Amino acid sequence: MQKMITLGEFIVQKQADFPEATGDLTGLLSAIRLAAKVVNREVNKAGLADITGAVGEQNIQGEEQQKLDVYANEKFKAALEARGEVCGMASEEEEDYVVFDSEVNNNAKYVVLTDPLDGSSNIDVNVSIGTIFSIYKRVSPRGTPVTLEDFLQPGNQQVAAGYIIYGSSTVLVYSTGHGVHGFTYDPSLGVFALSHENICTPEDGLIYSINEGNYIKFPDGVKMYIKYCQAEDEATHRPFTARYIGSLVADFHRNLMKGGIYLYPSTMKNPNGKLRLLYECNPIAYLVEQAGGRASDGYQRILDIKPTELHQRTPFFVGSTNMVKTVEDLIKEFG
Ligand SMILES: O=P(O)(O)OC[C@H]1O[C@](O)(COP(=O)(O)O)[C@@H](O)[C@@H]1O
Ligand SMILES: [Mg+2]
Ligand SMILES: [Mg+2]
């Protein structure tokens, strides 16, 4: 029987690979692990009155906030603030960045950006949802309150990123720049156990994920790519299979494991697309590159985009390298 390796053990083992490590990132990751367990317990009750439905307020995105959006945001915020490694947080559910203003936190090294609950439209209909997180070292001096600049770093400066998917099982997937690893939650033991070490995504896949309901609003290059996916061609195993859950984390996770591409292009209504660069696209792009895949806005590498606003959006094409390259070529040719 293979020995179970828990997330906690794995993080500590990996820390040993870096003699200069201080243990701060280890501490931070264990805070995320704790919050994930707390949120997971609540997600499993989705459908019961006290955790179902909207809170009756809109967030900075103009979206109806769901009770689980707010709950997850509060639990991750509390877990991160309680740790001395984090000086501030930015979140989809917070209009401005949050300063953890205590002497210990002001002296901390890291900032965290998060989408506390991804796939909100699927909460009440029992479809997989998730949490996404992105971690940077601060650029402002330690011992002072965190600043906006600490959050507006390009994705290529991330020191770690990951997501939790609350699905048929709960899986935490993360990377600190040394491969992508997945841990499945064992509720009987209350631990995340290593289940997917060194995830690599195929260069070519057979799945495409896009909300085709927006088809007429898509740029021509994207329309061409959808037609390409649907065309008959045995040599390239087309037509590809269309799969769209409507939760970025769930669509990405499936495609990461099997090979595929997720597309959220610009539309006439959303010329910058829908997804948020800082806490949806950057962490997912970091993971896919660590797994051998590719992520762009159709023209440039997502991780090289220099952010200017906390909640800025970007078109997003992510997944198997050759599939993303194909849609990029069509966008460059047809717009
Ligand atoms: O309903 P649409 O327009 O297809 O958008 C679905 C996309 O929006 C999102 O729900 C946005 O994320 P949030 O739920 O965190 O706001 C993604 O998870 C998903 O991929
Ligand atoms: Mg989201
Ligand atoms: Mg969200």
Side-chain angles (χ1 to χ4, degrees):
M1 176 56 188
Q2 201 186 2
K3 181 183 169 313
M4 174 197 278
I5 301 176
T6 68
L7 175 57
E9 290 162 346
F10 188 85
I11 293 172
V12 171
Q13 270 174 21
K14 287 291 170 193
Q15 183 192 314
D17 296 350
F18 311 97
E20 76 289 351
T22 61
D24 287 357
L25 189 57
T26 299
L28 199 174
L29 290 170
S30 69
I32 289 175
R33 181 182 73 207
L34 172 65
K37 291 180 185 177
V38 173
V39 171
N40 179 56
R41 189 191 59 217
E42 216 59 20
V43 167
N44 289 341
K45 294 194 295 181
L48 298 176
D50 62 338
I51 198 65
T52 297
V55 289
E57 278 171 35
Q58 289 205 338
N59 62 16
I60 177 71
Q61 329 283 338
E63 294 160 352
E64 195 64 39
Q65 271 188 323
Q66 304 299 305
K67 287 180 188 169
L68 259 175
D69 285 323
V70 175
Y71 181 88
N73 187 55
E74 290 311 315
K75 292 304 170 192
F76 275 91
K77 189 163 62 177
L80 293 169
E81 181 158 21
R83 306 282 326 188
E85 296 90 8
V86 183
C87 51
M89 178 182 110
S91 163
E92 180 191 3
E93 304 306 331
E94 302 272 354
E95 180 158 355
D96 207 345
Y97 62 90
V98 180
V99 180
F100 295 154
D101 202 2
S102 75
E103 196 186 335
V104 172
N105 292 99
N106 282 339
N107 200 39
K109 197 171 20 181
Y110 295 107
V111 294
V112 177
L113 301 93
T114 183
D115 176 356
L117 206 287
D118 177 65
S120 305
S121 64
N122 282 326
I123 294 172
D124 296 345
V125 289
N126 209 352
V127 172
S128 299
I129 51 181
T131 293
I132 312 174
F133 62 89
S134 167
I135 302 170
Y136 293 83
K137 278 192 180 143
R138 65 185 303 171
V139 290
S140 61
R142 292 177 72 170
T144 64
V146 72
T147 67
L148 179 58
E149 287 328 295
D150 292 308
F151 297 98
L152 297 183
Q153 301 183 55
N156 54 37
Q157 295 305 303
Q158 288 173 101
V159 294
Y163 58 82
I164 300 113
I165 175 168
Y166 312 105
S168 40
S169 65
T170 294
V171 177
L172 187 153
V173 174
Y174 85 105
S175 178
T176 55
H178 304 276
V180 179
H181 313 289
F183 299 78
T184 301
Y185 187 61
D186 182 337
S188 62
L189 299 172
V191 298
F192 283 98
L194 181 62
S195 52
H196 304 82
E197 188 166 9
N198 282 324
I199 298 170
C200 292
T201 197
E203 284 208 325
D204 288 290
L206 303 176
I207 298 169
Y208 69 105
S209 308
I210 185 168
N211 182 345
E212 290 192 51
N214 296 327
Y215 182 84
I216 56 165
K217 306 168 194 149
F218 288 151
D220 290 345
V222 174
K223 288 178 180 169
M224 302 281 287
Y225 183 72
I226 293 172
K227 290 300 161 218
Y228 169 86
C229 293
Q230 296 169 343
E232 291 272 349
D233 179 59
E234 224 171 282
T236 53
H237 311 290
R238 285 178 293 145
F240 295 151
T241 297
R243 289 279 183 275
Y244 191 71
I245 294 168
S247 297
L248 167 64
V249 166
D251 280 310
F252 174 72
H253 185 73
R254 178 205 48 246
N255 293 355
L256 180 73
M257 308 306 274
K258 294 190 166 189
I261 183 172
Y262 170 96
L263 311 92
Y264 208 107
S266 59
T267 60
M268 270 92 138
K269 183 170 147 248
N270 293 320
N272 292 323
K274 174 182 181 178
L275 299 179
R276 284 52 60 124
L277 174 64
L278 266 61
Y279 38 78
E280 289 174 318
C281 303
N282 270 338
I284 297 290
Y286 181 84
L287 292 166
V288 85
E289 288 199 6
Q290 278 291 314
R294 187 180 177 90
S296 82
D297 65 359
Y299 296 95
Q300 64 173 323
R301 184 180 174 231
I302 288 288
L303 297 181
D304 293 340
I305 298 174
K306 174 68 184 88
T308 52
E309 292 162 37
L310 268 187
H311 302 288
Q312 75 185 73
R313 302 171 191 257
T314 177
F316 194 41
F317 305 93
V318 60
S320 295
T321 297
N322 294 335
M323 298 179 92
V324 177
K325 281 184 176 166
T326 305
V327 70
E328 287 171 350
D329 293 345
L330 288 168
I331 289 172
K332 285 177 189 131
E333 189 175 348
F334 299 97

